[in-house]
Amino acid sequence: MVSQDKKKAAWIWYPGDFEIRLHEKMSAKRTARGVAYPAYWRLDRHYSNVKFRYTYELEHEEEITIAAEGVFSLYLDGKDNYRYSRSRITLPAGRHEISVSVFNDTEIPAIYVAGRSIQSDSTWEVTSYQNDWLPAGFWKFDTPENRPSAFRLAVTPQEPLSVMEKDGSPLLDFGKETFGYLRFHKLTGRGSVKVYYGESIAEALSPEECVTLDAFEAEEAGGLQVDGVFTLEEPKAFRYVWIHADPGVTWERVSMLYEYVPVQYRSSFECSDAKLNDIYKMSLYTLHLNTREFFLDGIKRDRWVWSGDAYQAFLMNYYSFFDLDVTRRTLVALRGKDPLTMHLNTIVDYSLYWFVSLYDYYLYTGDFSFVCQNYDRAATLMEFCLNQRNEEGFIEGRPQDWVFVDWAALTNTGAVSTLQILLARSLEAMSTFSGLLGDREASSHYGRLAAELKDKTLSLFWDNERGGLLHHRVDGETKPILTKHANMFAMTFGYLSEEQRSSVIRQVMLNPEVPQIRTPYMRFHELAVLCESGEQDVVRKEMLSYWGGMMDLGATSFWEEYDPSLADDQHYGMYGMPFGKSLCHAWGAGPIYLIGKYYLGITPSSPGYETYRISPNLGGLRHMQGTVPIGEGQITVKMDTTSIRVESTSGSGVLTFASSHTPESPDAEIRSIGEKTFEISVEAGKPYRVTYRA
């Protein structure tokens, strides 16, 4: 029954189909030297044929307007032979059920219904004709003209920082890594124009080797000008642009439309080390460039949605923008539809990251309704994963699967310990979700499987002499190969005893004989584990060396990989291509997470930051201050070697800190919780100051 209060109408669709269709379009955007390079995994499609229903009760008849993406027919009370496709329909008084069938095989079937009291929203239900009546999906499309199929990111004009002649052709420098559409103003003449893009100047000046390029005929393009401006159709990632044109082709100037998601920069950090401040700011910019329709891996290559990359981007996002729209879109798109035949992105570990990411979403936001919407697909994905266990109960990759773990020379045959740790954590997440849904049997089942897998993994992969978890087990035999990966995740998830943690730090993480982590991808986890063990000073120096090393080479966003032993243009090569490396990669923005969680020290201890922990650590800095978003609120920390100040806008928490002398606070009772370790309770809206000695 409808409310008499005026509601806001919205476009509605089958839940998940907007994200899945958008993902399908995005996954075909990548090009290699002007040729399409679509993703090499199954791309799911929206349902082309759906039906909406809604029951109303009116005292008087009411006129509604209806718009649809696709062919639609509206009928009342199941009367099949009395259908309407007009944009204005008068509904009779009384209690009736509206049914609207919509067909669209190119974009998602969607409707927009607006009347005085009847409005399309999430109270409507929709089916794909598979006995699956569900609450309709919706977002911010709330006018007839603002259709889901027309969704575009925001754009704003930008001019190049400089234009110079290079071998007779103009070379444009936009000053830093950017993303958008190149624009030619007052283009005239006849002939060809070729555009070579580069994240580096070397790439832009390499017509035969640059990864992205454009070409067009000036006469044809001139006819496509709007208000004297020709805008290229597809956006690109670049800093430099080298333009070659035939004689007789002219233009007044070249600019660009920068394309972006208008996120709010909700976090901040400033400390006594100017270089670390710059690293933090560049990390934010790197993440923002890759925060688009979804969290992408990189904006030049691949421009795809990878689950492992997204897992890290989600965490960075919680400590910076806290943009949940992009987060939810990415989670829905990655999961796709049933039935499953391959893992997410074809990678076993990437299916498992999805579960951990969904749990993290719940922890940081408290939004269990989104988990509920995706629970059934979580359950079928888990069933798919569990069906790949061997006779010992360990998950293994099939011949058609990619077991990734990291960009390193790893032998990933048999049962890989990293996968077992990730599967155990995924099972724990499923146990939590099913328990919150009231399914005690499922919760117990998943919990038991998680406990058994953890025990078996620690029993069969742990090597006392080597001091950590070995890498893989083949045909019932654990191979004597020690790597950092499983050990890092086991520590992060709290699976090791204090004795084992100490052993891992000493004999694995800080052991130069163990193969070193090469990419920011796993360095993200490596440095987090070191911080968990109180090694913030080591991590600070590593951030200054690794991320600072990229900045010293002129980086304006952080790269996919950095090897300080390389020289000059060798830095840009990867995957057998001289410029194959992404110079703007989401996983390169890891310092956002490290600084927010382990230096400012802010973490949720219950879903949605209802309660939280603040454990700031200077890590060798003289002073620092910063802010971290917590849902709609924030926590601010200011710390030097003699005082700590904290303030929160919501929730309640505990401030924990170490002090070599007895600390004092005029604002709270200080409790001693161990040798030179203290805590105070923190309530929202009240500032706290502690004097201590670091």
Side-chain angles (χ1 to χ4, degrees):
M1 182 174 177
V2 300
S3 167
Q4 295 306 305
D5 296 331
K6 182 66 175 176
K7 298 183 296 180
K8 184 73 170 176
W11 284 90
I12 57 175
W13 52 79
Y14 189 89
D17 272 6
F18 171 73
E19 295 85 350
I20 285 170
R21 172 60 178 148
L22 190 61
H23 180 230
E24 182 184 40
K25 289 189 282 189
M26 275 295 302
S27 298
K29 292 289 188 183
R30 177 182 176 181
T31 60
R33 298 189 56 77
V35 179
Y37 191 159
Y40 51 78
W41 48 79
R42 185 184 85 184
L43 294 176
D44 290 327
R45 295 224 78 192
H46 62 272
Y47 293 119
S48 60
N49 191 32
V50 303
K51 183 168 70 173
F52 300 90
R53 72 181 181 188
Y54 180 72
T55 299
Y56 72 82
E57 189 169 350
L58 294 173
E59 292 183 8
H60 306 285
E61 67 179 22
E62 180 174 319
E63 184 181 68
I64 61 170
T65 60
I66 181 167
E69 295 251 55
V71 177
F72 82 92
S73 63
L74 181 149
Y75 55 103
L76 291 175
D77 303 326
K79 295 180 179 179
D80 270 352
N81 207 32
Y82 295 89
R83 292 175 178 257
Y84 307 90
S85 59
R86 301 189 302 271
S87 60
R88 290 183 176 273
I89 299 169
T90 299
L91 299 175
R95 184 179 179 85
H96 300 277
E97 182 183 80
I98 303 172
S99 298
V100 185
S101 298
V102 190
F103 175 81
N104 191 334
D105 61 353
T106 56
E107 296 291 346
I108 61 169
I111 59 170
Y112 177 92
V113 178
R116 185 180 63 84
S117 57
I118 296 176
Q119 314 282 351
S120 51
D121 58 20
S122 61
T123 63
W124 289 55
E125 291 183 311
V126 61
T127 181
S128 62
Y129 298 98
Q130 299 180 92
N131 297 316
D132 57 344
W133 285 106
L134 298 170
F138 73 103
W139 189 35
K140 64 178 183 180
F141 308 107
D142 55 6
T143 67
E145 300 75 27
N146 186 19
R147 294 170 175 255
S149 63
F151 173 64
R152 300 291 185 273
L153 300 185
V155 293
T156 189
Q158 284 189 356
E159 299 291 330
L161 193 66
S162 67
V163 181
M164 67 187 80
E165 289 290 315
K166 190 71 176 177
D167 297 337
S169 295
L171 175 68
L172 283 65
D173 178 5
F174 284 83
K176 61 181 179 180
E177 180 88 13
T178 188
F179 187 89
Y181 305 82
L182 212 61
R183 313 173 85 195
F184 287 76
H185 298 254
K186 296 184 179 179
L187 179 70
T188 63
R190 301 180 64 179
S192 297
V193 179
K194 296 180 180 178
V195 180
Y196 304 106
Y197 299 93
E199 292 186 302
S200 62
I201 192 169
E203 182 180 14
L205 295 177
S206 301
E208 301 303 319
E209 297 291 351
C210 65
V211 173
T212 56
L213 50 79
D214 270 315
F216 59 88
E217 293 298 318
E219 186 174 24
E220 179 184 354
L224 299 174
Q225 293 183 102
V226 177
D227 296 330
V229 179
F230 168 63
T231 304
L232 286 163
E233 185 177 354
E234 289 295 330
K236 299 289 195 302
F238 57 90
R239 172 178 172 176
Y240 301 93
V241 181
W242 199 24
I243 304 172
H244 291 201
D246 287 343
V249 179
T250 64
W251 55 84
E252 182 183 84
R253 76 182 202 278
V254 175
S255 67
M256 70 169 293
L257 280 178
Y258 171 57
E259 186 183 59
Y260 65 103
V261 175
V263 298
Q264 181 181 356
Y265 281 51
R266 296 184 55 200
S267 68
S268 65
F269 178 75
E270 186 176 357
C271 70
S272 55
D273 192 311
K275 189 63 166 285
L276 192 57
N277 294 338
D278 291 340
I279 289 171
Y280 185 81
K281 292 173 185 175
M282 191 178 291
S283 295
L284 286 173
Y285 184 62
T286 301
L287 180 62
H288 192 185
L289 284 172
N290 287 285
T291 301
R292 311 195 61 74
E293 292 89 343
F294 308 96
F295 286 116
L296 302 185
D297 62 331
I299 55 174
K300 178 181 79 172
R301 196 228 78 244
D302 309 325
R303 292 179 63 186
W304 291 340
V305 186
W306 295 89
S307 182
D309 303 54
Y311 169 49
Q312 296 185 5
F314 295 145
L315 291 171
M316 299 172 202
N317 173 57
Y318 299 135
Y319 284 91
S320 54
F321 314 135
F322 216 93
D323 188 302
L324 302 186
D325 287 333
V326 179
T327 302
R328 287 188 287 254
R329 284 201 298 269
T330 304
L331 284 164
V332 171
L334 278 168
R335 174 56 187 85
K337 296 195 172 186
D338 291 325
L340 285 160
T341 58
M342 292 292 291
H343 284 281
L344 275 55
N345 309 122
T346 76
I347 304 175
V348 181
D349 16 336
Y350 279 29
S351 288
L352 303 175
Y353 282 132
W354 186 85
F355 293 102
V356 183
S357 297
L358 186 60
Y359 179 80
D360 285 343
Y361 173 86
Y362 172 59
L363 177 62
Y364 281 91
T365 69
D367 179 10
F368 189 62
S369 63
F370 179 75
V371 176
C372 293
Q373 293 165 17
N374 291 275
Y375 179 80
D376 288 346
R377 288 179 182 172
T380 52
L381 177 58
M382 179 54 74
E383 181 181 6
F384 179 74
C385 293
L386 292 176
N387 284 336
Q388 284 187 226
R389 291 173 297 172
N390 63 21
E391 63 278 1
E392 290 186 306
F394 294 129
I395 188 171
E396 290 190 2
R398 304 167 300 175
Q400 64 267 42
D401 294 332
W402 180 5
V403 177
F404 171 58
V405 182
D406 191 15
W407 290 117
L410 299 172
T411 302
N412 291 328
T413 54
V416 176
S417 54
T418 302
L419 295 190
Q420 315 317 314
I421 298 296
L422 289 172
L423 178 57
R425 187 62 165 175
S426 300
L427 286 163
E428 288 176 339
M430 288 300 294
S431 178
T432 297
F433 298 154
S434 53
L436 290 168
L437 284 166
D439 190 340
R440 293 183 179 179
E441 182 178 353
S443 181
S444 176
H445 172 67
Y446 290 129
R448 177 178 53 80
L449 290 178
E452 291 174 353
L453 182 58
K454 280 193 297 183
D455 290 345
K456 191 176 295 184
T457 300
L458 290 170
S459 172
L460 296 179
F461 286 91
W462 183 267
D463 186 304
N464 280 320
E465 184 177 344
R466 305 286 295 280
L469 291 164
L470 300 180
H471 178 66
H472 70 146
R473 182 174 173 86
V474 181
D475 296 329
E477 179 187 354
T478 303
K479 300 298 181 179
I481 300 170
L482 181 65
T483 58
K484 294 184 177 182
H485 306 86
N487 293 284
M488 295 189 303
F489 285 110
M491 288 190 68
T492 297
F493 300 150
Y495 292 171
L496 303 182
S497 67
E498 283 302 315
E499 183 181 355
Q500 289 172 322
R501 291 175 66 89
S502 176
S503 172
V504 164
I505 290 296
R506 185 179 66 258
Q507 295 186 246
V508 182
M509 304 308 300
L510 299 177
N511 184 353
E513 296 182 2
V514 176
Q516 299 301 295
I517 301 296
R518 292 174 49 238
T519 67
Y521 178 66
M522 274 296 163
R523 197 169 292 258
F524 176 96
H525 300 291
E526 177 186 30
L527 298 185
V529 163
L530 290 173
C531 286
E532 292 272 6
S533 302
E535 299 288 346
Q536 273 84 346
D537 190 44
V538 172
V539 172
R540 177 183 58 83
K541 293 173 183 175
E542 181 66 13
M543 285 193 287
L544 292 171
S545 170
Y546 190 84
W547 280 269
M550 286 184 256
M551 296 181 72
D552 291 342
L553 292 172
T556 59
S557 59
F558 289 125
W559 304 348
E560 183 175 13
E561 181 191 40
Y562 168 58
D563 183 349
S565 69
L566 299 177
D568 303 324
D569 294 349
Q570 290 180 330
H571 281 288
Y572 309 134
M574 208 167 176
Y575 309 108
M577 299 181 289
F579 303 102
K581 183 180 295 180
S582 164
L583 300 192
C584 179
H585 225 66
W587 71 37
I592 296 170
Y593 174 71
L594 297 172
I595 288 170
K597 184 171 182 178
Y598 297 112
Y599 290 79
L600 297 177
I602 297 166
T603 55
S605 51
S606 62
Y609 280 101
E610 182 177 348
T611 59
Y612 46 81
R613 296 185 303 277
I614 308 173
S615 303
N617 190 315
L618 287 168
L621 298 168
R622 294 190 303 277
H623 62 80
M624 66 177 181
Q625 63 183 49
T627 299
V628 168
I630 56 169
E632 295 182 358
Q634 64 182 35
I635 295 174
T636 300
V637 175
K638 186 174 183 180
M639 183 181 193
D640 57 28
T641 57
T642 60
S643 70
I644 304 170
R645 298 173 185 265
V646 300
E647 187 170 3
S648 171
T649 62
S650 59
S652 60
V654 174
L655 167 67
T656 305
F657 60 96
S659 178
S660 61
H661 288 63
T662 301
E664 297 179 353
S665 173
D667 309 307
E669 175 192 352
I670 297 178
R671 301 180 295 272
S672 174
I673 58 172
E675 185 179 358
K676 298 182 179 180
T677 306
F678 305 87
E679 68 177 21
I680 66 170
S681 297
V682 174
E683 298 299 328
K686 181 181 177 182
Y688 295 84
R689 182 177 184 271
V690 174
T691 56
Y692 82 114
R693 186 171 299 177

